[in-house]
Amino acid sequence: GENVEQHPSTLSVQEGDSAVIKCTYSDSASNYFPWYKQELGKRPQLIIDIRSNVGEKKDQRIAVTLNKTAKHFSLHITETQPEDSAVYFCAASIRDTGNQFYFGTGTSLTVIP
Amino acid sequence: EPEVTQTPSHQVTQMGQEVILRCVPISNHLYFYWYRQILGQKVEFLVSFYNNEISEKSEIFDDQFSVERPDGSNFTLKIRSTKLEDSAMYFCASKRQGIGEAFFGQGTRLTVV
């Protein structure tokens, strides 16, 4: 089955700096890669996703890149703000099927004001 | 905006007791999932459900677990005889056929004492 690895497990940045979180996956059949943000005690919420026919996607301060050949994808947050502090999970799935989402182990991001 | 809703938000039960966790998925969604998250750890897949039957389950989902969609709107997870290690946050999720994003409920925190 799919194995998703995520690094780093914790990340502290100064407000205004950039944060990068990296994930790798093992199953070449995976073609959908969402990123979820989970604030303390709350549900995971989708912040951005990318499909395997696209190499990069951007939404304001958040961007995701995908390298299908190397089987890795990354989340980039620019101009970080204290409200970006949360746990971020990457996931891999096969889109358009009922297949489960395989989650990474999570990155706890702290933005220091 | 439609949401996945779960009840109760917190359930405390004695070891060996049965618990039923309830979820109301988004109404036009067809794929349903249960995940769990032990405190501080990653989100783990339990089971997926489609067309009134289990489509995939993990090793965690043993004979003590069962799922049901009793009335076309609710989706329940039953744990027959709870163990201390079942203590976790349980998330229900649903997905619309053909669309990648899974929407998560707010979770039920299960505490087994």
Side-chain angles (χ1 to χ4, degrees):
Chain A
E2 175 67 276
N3 181 41
V4 178
E5 296 193 352
Q6 183 172 348
H7 301 280
S9 56
T10 60
L11 179 60
S12 291
V13 299
Q14 292 288 331
E15 183 177 358
D17 287 351
S18 295
V20 180
I21 302 169
K22 299 183 179 183
C23 288
T24 60
Y25 63 100
S26 60
D27 189 347
S28 56
S30 292
N31 59 6
Y32 175 68
F33 307 93
W35 285 89
Y36 285 84
K37 175 183 180 182
Q38 186 180 27
E39 296 175 7
L40 191 63
K42 297 190 176 180
R43 75 186 79 193
Q45 292 205 300
L46 181 79
I47 55 170
I48 195 166
D49 57 12
I50 191 166
R51 297 161 192 174
S52 59
N53 59 346
V54 174
E56 183 174 358
K57 183 176 176 180
K58 192 171 180 182
D59 182 4
Q60 299 183 340
R61 296 186 297 108
I62 294 172
V64 57
T65 59
L66 171 66
N67 182 327
K68 280 193 300 183
T69 305
K71 297 196 186 74
H72 65 71
F73 56 113
S74 300
L75 178 71
H76 305 252
I77 306 174
T78 58
E79 300 171 27
T80 52
Q81 301 166 3
E83 51 265 39
D84 294 329
S85 296
V87 178
Y88 291 81
F89 291 96
C90 64
S93 180
I94 300 175
R95 189 172 172 268
D96 297 343
T97 70
N99 287 27
Q100 61 165 297
F101 289 75
Y102 293 86
F103 283 87
T105 46
T107 297
S108 178
L109 173 65
T110 303
V111 179
I112 303 164
Chain B
E1 186 176 328
E3 285 188 335
V4 176
T5 56
Q6 289 183 242
T7 53
S9 55
H10 192 189
Q11 172 91 46
V12 181
T13 188
Q14 288 203 325
M15 192 169 55
Q17 295 297 303
E18 174 183 286
V19 293
I20 297 176
L21 310 183
R22 302 181 193 280
C23 170
V24 179
I26 296 172
S27 62
N28 61 349
H29 286 192
L30 298 177
Y31 295 92
F32 313 110
Y33 306 85
W34 282 101
Y35 287 83
R36 79 171 186 192
Q37 186 179 31
I38 295 170
L39 189 64
Q41 298 185 22
K42 77 172 180 179
V43 178
E44 298 176 293
F45 170 73
L46 293 178
V47 66
S48 59
F49 193 86
Y50 171 71
N51 201 24
N52 287 320
E53 60 183 21
I54 291 173
S55 50
E56 195 176 6
K57 61 183 180 180
S58 72
E59 292 175 353
I60 303 167
F61 194 88
D62 61 21
D63 292 345
Q64 293 301 310
F65 290 86
S66 62
V67 289
E68 248 189 352
R69 190 157 159 78
D71 56 12
S73 62
N74 292 287
F75 179 50
T76 62
L77 175 70
K78 182 193 290 186
I79 309 174
R80 269 181 262 284
S81 178
T82 49
K83 303 188 283 283
L84 294 176
E85 53 265 38
D86 293 327
S87 295
M89 180 74 89
Y90 287 79
F91 290 103
C92 172
S94 69
K95 191 173 88 161
R96 200 172 78 194
Q97 188 172 16
I99 302 295
E101 179 180 356
F103 291 82
F104 283 79
Q106 78 279 25
T108 293
R109 181 170 298 286
L110 176 65
T111 303
V112 182
V113 297

